[in-house]
Amino acid sequence: MYYLGRMAHPYVLHYAPDNASLPVRLVLEELGVAYRTRLVDRASEAQRKPEYLAVNPTGLIPALETPYGVVSETAAILLWLADRHGALFPATADPARGERLRWLFFASNTLHAELRRLFYARLYVGGDEDDQSLLRRYSCAAISGHLQLLDTAMPDGHDPDILDWYLAAMLRWCALYPQDFDHSWFDLQQYPALQSMALRIEARDSTHAAQTAEGLGPTPFTAPRAPEPPEGSAL
Ligand SMILES: N[C@@H](CCC(=O)N[C@@H](CS)C(=O)NCC(=O)O)C(=O)O
């Protein structure tokens, strides 16, 4: 049996700057638990190398090593951390849990999955530029619809929880990726509830820690600029 409280660094976050590891870093910071990071070097595609595949066989970033084994998939890690530490998400007996779980899963299996099609169009339709731009047009429209639903579902004045950190990171990525792409399809002001959530998240100490660690710039969620990380690269 492991006792997390007694361990100096119970967690190792496998990360790359501004990747899907970002919401996990933010939540670790917010929880105030000790963790170490291990950079996955995107420039050399380290996520596809045997050493990383031994940690996360999906070859996707992030993965979190815990005293109980590795957890991967962003939403699973966030929920695992919230449950483990009894914070930042409604507990199992809380009547509010169902509603937040519903949107957490939507964020993961629908919104995040659609972002992957936008960012990695080549993986889905191959090298043809016309096919890629058709897929991207479809994805932008789909993502806008998903954000609209999430905006409407955002509860008024609630305490931030893991879904908020996950969404804040995804709002950032909408404005920045893919690089060399017209981002005028995305305007945070169209989603007032998400925008005010992003403003609140941006003001927290956990954001400042991630800004320093990953070079996220002064307003990482409401008016992001390309990261300038001290180590590694986003792509
Ligand atoms: N379903 C995964 C998606 C994670 C994901 O898309 N990670 C990206 C980085 S943001 C990645 O690993 N990209 C590298 C690749 O696809 O080779 C999750 O929720 O963790």
Side-chain angles (χ1 to χ4, degrees), residues 19-20 42 47-48 59-62 73-74 112 116 120 166:
N19 275 223
R42 294 275 322 242
Q47 75 273 21
R48 300 189 212 290
L60 295 171
I61 303 160
E73 288 299 304
T74 308
H112 196 169
R116 280 188 54 83
Y120 303 108
Y166 195 9

Side-chain angles (χ1 to χ4, degrees), residues 138-190:
Y138 166 81
S139 286
C140 291
I143 292 164
S144 302
H146 301 335
L147 292 176
Q148 204 63 64
L149 285 173
L150 286 156
D151 191 62
T152 307
M154 185 61 62
D156 277 343
H158 66 293
D159 290 335
D161 65 25
I162 54 170
L163 176 56
D164 296 315
W165 277 283
Y166 195 9
L167 291 176
M170 288 198 267
L171 293 172
R172 169 181 171 81
W173 303 329
C174 286
L176 292 181
Y177 303 110
Q179 286 179 323
D180 305 322
F181 185 71
D182 178 3
H183 292 101
S184 58
W185 68 274
F186 174 72
D187 176 7
L188 184 55
Q189 294 190 25
Q190 287 180 355

